[in-house]
Amino acid sequence: ARDPAGEASLENALLLHAVIRHPAIVRPLRSFRSGALTLVYPWVEGTVLNQATVSGSDRSALAVFQQLPISTVCAAISTVLDAHVSIAAHGYVAVDLYDGCLLYDFTHEQMHLIDLDEYHQGPFTLAGERLPGSLHYMAPEEFVRGATIDERTNVFTLGRAVQHLLDADKGWRGTAAQMKLVERATAGAPQRRYQ
């Protein structure tokens, strides 16, 4: 971290990782200060399943992932959801969960979560104009000053993650029940989502 915002983000990550223990969440090995706060994470095999960002290298991993057997894709989705059950149980809200947080190891068929630096204790009231994050994953309330950010925001974000992992270029790969789940999870009004 080289500026106050970056340092606050890394400090926040240390708080999160101090209480959250889930095998899919990649935790820092250590932190130190040498003029700036530095977090050291272990190397984890896998490929980031991102397509929303413009810059970066190979974007084919998501397409490869989406062509895996549906049972394998659903197992990976279950890992993401299970990790967030643990996160929510500790009172955290997923801020800035996006496709760049999804690291998939194709060899061992394992999903890992990385870059959870912006997750915050919740519920909280949005003090600014918006929260950080990818537009593809953000709930409508994340753009409204004074809005409540809580577990229903998590539900929206996770619904978008499920949609992202099940959507292939040729259309929806999930079941009708999964499609209904995603539709309800990503409802615009928080009170219409799962609690």
Side-chain angles (χ1 to χ4, degrees):
R2 299 194 183 274
D3 58 43
E7 184 143 340
S9 180
L10 294 185
E11 291 281 1
N12 190 65
L14 288 174
L15 293 173
L16 172 86
H17 292 298
V19 296
I20 304 296
R21 299 281 192 272
H22 190 278
I25 297 173
V26 180
R27 301 179 60 240
L29 297 170
R30 66 187 185 105
S31 64
F32 63 90
R33 288 188 183 278
S34 177
L37 178 60
T38 301
L39 274 59
V40 179
Y41 286 85
W43 179 262
V44 176
E45 288 297 331
T47 307
V48 177
L49 300 179
N50 59 345
Q51 76 173 16
T53 56
V54 175
S55 63
S57 59
D58 187 4
R59 299 278 180 232
S60 65
L62 177 63
V64 172
F65 176 84
Q66 290 172 329
Q67 297 308 312
L68 292 173
I70 194 70
S71 60
T72 303
V73 171
C74 287
I77 289 170
S78 290
T79 298
V80 173
L81 297 176
D82 184 62
H84 282 84
V85 167
S86 177
I87 289 165
H90 287 89
Y92 276 84
V93 177
V95 176
D96 196 21
L97 173 66
Y98 69 112
D99 52 5
C101 299
L102 306 172
L103 181 72
Y104 191 73
D105 179 348
F106 286 93
T107 302
H108 299 100
E109 296 183 346
Q110 292 180 331
M111 178 68 82
H112 302 282
L113 294 170
I114 59 173
D115 194 21
L116 309 182
D117 300 353
E118 299 298 328
Y119 281 38
H120 288 282
Q121 282 283 316
F124 63 92
T125 301
L126 180 56
E129 296 298 320
R130 65 166 281 181
L131 286 172
S134 166
L135 299 177
H136 182 74
Y137 284 80
M138 294 174 74
E141 63 268 21
E142 294 184 79
F143 298 94
V144 179
R145 182 188 295 268
T148 299
I149 308 299
D150 59 16
E151 287 187 23
R152 294 170 302 178
T153 309
N154 279 352
V155 169
F156 185 97
T157 302
L158 291 168
R160 287 297 180 124
V162 170
Q163 183 179 31
H164 176 78
L165 295 173
L166 286 174
D167 274 348
D169 292 335
K170 296 177 182 155
W172 181 260
R173 285 195 65 215
T175 66
Q178 287 168 331
M179 184 180 288
K180 282 187 158 193
L181 180 139
V182 167
E183 287 173 1
R184 182 168 173 196
T186 58
Q191 64 272 18
R192 291 184 48 226
R193 299 176 201 148
Y194 296 102
Q195 299 302 303

